[in-house]
Amino acid sequence: MRGDKIVILTGAGISAESGLGTFRDEGGLWAQHRIEDVATPEAFARNPELVHRFYNLRRAQAAEAEPNAAHHALTRLQAVWPDDVVIVTQNVDGLHEKAGSAAIHMHGALTRALCAKCDARWDAPAQMCRHDRCPHCGTAATRPDIVWFGEMPYHMDEIAAHLQTCAMFVAIGTSGQVYPAAGFVQEAALCGAATVEINMRDSDMSHAFDTHLKGPASKVVPQWVDRLLASA
Ligand code: APR
């Protein structure tokens, strides 16, 4: 049954004002690095040291970063309706948790390590290298617990169930270029949800949303949360 559930999908744009670069904006991460060099299982097999260096740097940057007003506003919203506000994030930076929110991490987390041999997971050290051994099976096959291109995002069944039962779907700071997340708006709309996009500019999926709120997440998200709470 459709209740009052709100599903909020976040992307790199929500963390941009915390000083973390996005992927596809001008000068973004994918302009500085080739995806095929650092974000595929094949890249890791070919050059694990390079891949570890890339994620070690990103882990260090995320550890320094602080959540901004947009992350805090979502925490405020979730505190009022803990059972009805579901945050699904493509981000691996941990800023939702730093702000006090609970989020479903569909692309993994920089703070976690994964054994490519036995699938064990544990807390990642600040710096990882190709000689690190899995604490469970002892193999030196430690990788960041990040979903790379060509891999299946995490928690898809749980996310699909939320999309099918939400009254509202909101996408914040995501370019709509990467599936399956890019298709969530259509899945939710098909099941009857109202859809809202919050972004600095049009995304590749803008056409699929009912409502567009344009501007920086740190301004627009708190305003949207205030309006929502006032109308409740
Ligand atoms: N406020 C709101 N939106 C912003 C802001 C801001 N301050 N800054 C940038 N944006 C928007 C951009 O307009 C763009 O639409 O955020 C979006 C960022 O898009 P991407 O860089 O493509 O990031 P994202 O959509 O999260 O990428 C999806 O791609 O490489 C993978 O796995 C990686 O999870 C990532 C996925």
Side-chain angles (χ1 to χ4, degrees):
M1 204 174 67
R2 184 162 303 282
D4 297 317
K5 190 187 289 179
I6 305 172
V7 174
I8 302 167
L9 171 71
T10 64
I14 196 170
S15 297
E17 291 161 84
S18 294
L20 298 176
T22 64
F23 296 94
R24 296 175 182 81
D25 290 308
E26 212 184 318
L29 272 178
W30 297 150
Q32 302 168 44
H33 306 268
R34 285 170 9 120
I35 287 174
E36 313 84 76
D37 289 340
V38 293
T40 66
E42 294 78 17
F44 187 65
R46 217 172 29 242
N47 193 343
E49 216 50 63
L50 175 70
V51 174
H52 277 307
R53 263 208 310 279
F54 175 72
Y55 286 100
N56 285 342
L57 184 62
R58 293 191 57 209
R59 190 177 301 107
Q61 288 166 343
E64 291 285 302
E66 292 299 330
N68 64 55
H71 299 98
H72 289 300
L74 296 187
T75 302
R76 209 152 41 85
L77 187 63
Q78 205 175 42
V80 176
W81 294 313
D83 296 331
D84 285 331
V85 174
V86 177
I87 300 172
V88 177
T89 190
Q90 298 166 91
N91 299 342
V92 295
D93 56 32
L95 291 186
H96 286 302
E97 286 74 16
K98 256 194 198 172
S101 291
I104 298 175
H105 280 263
M106 61 180 293
H107 289 172
L110 285 164
T111 53
R112 300 286 286 165
L114 165 67
C115 175
K117 180 86 185 298
C118 76
D119 280 347
R121 289 183 167 79
W122 62 97
D123 285 339
Q127 297 284 311
M128 289 170 65
C129 85
R130 70 192 175 93
H131 303 296
D132 291 346
R133 293 195 175 277
C134 168
H136 299 267
C137 74
T139 311
T142 296
R143 55 169 279 185
D145 190 8
I146 301 284
V147 176
W148 287 325
F149 286 87
E151 297 183 319
M152 179 59 82
Y154 299 154
H155 311 298
M156 288 309 296
D157 289 347
E158 186 187 353
I159 295 168
H162 286 309
L163 292 172
Q164 285 157 16
T165 54
C166 68
M168 189 189 288
F169 173 80
V170 186
I172 304 173
T174 180
S175 60
Q177 292 191 34
V178 176
Y179 282 82
F184 288 175
V185 57
Q186 286 159 327
E187 211 171 322
L190 210 62
C191 296
T195 56
V196 180
E197 180 176 64
I198 299 178
N199 201 305
M200 291 282 274
R201 54 189 72 85
D202 279 346
S203 76
D204 279 21
M205 290 308 294
S206 288
H207 61 275
F209 288 86
D210 306 322
T211 306
H212 303 90
L213 304 175
K214 275 212 180 128
S218 70
K219 287 218 163 53
V220 179
V221 176
Q223 288 167 359
W224 170 72
V225 167
D226 287 345
R227 277 199 303 276
L228 206 61
L229 290 175
S231 71

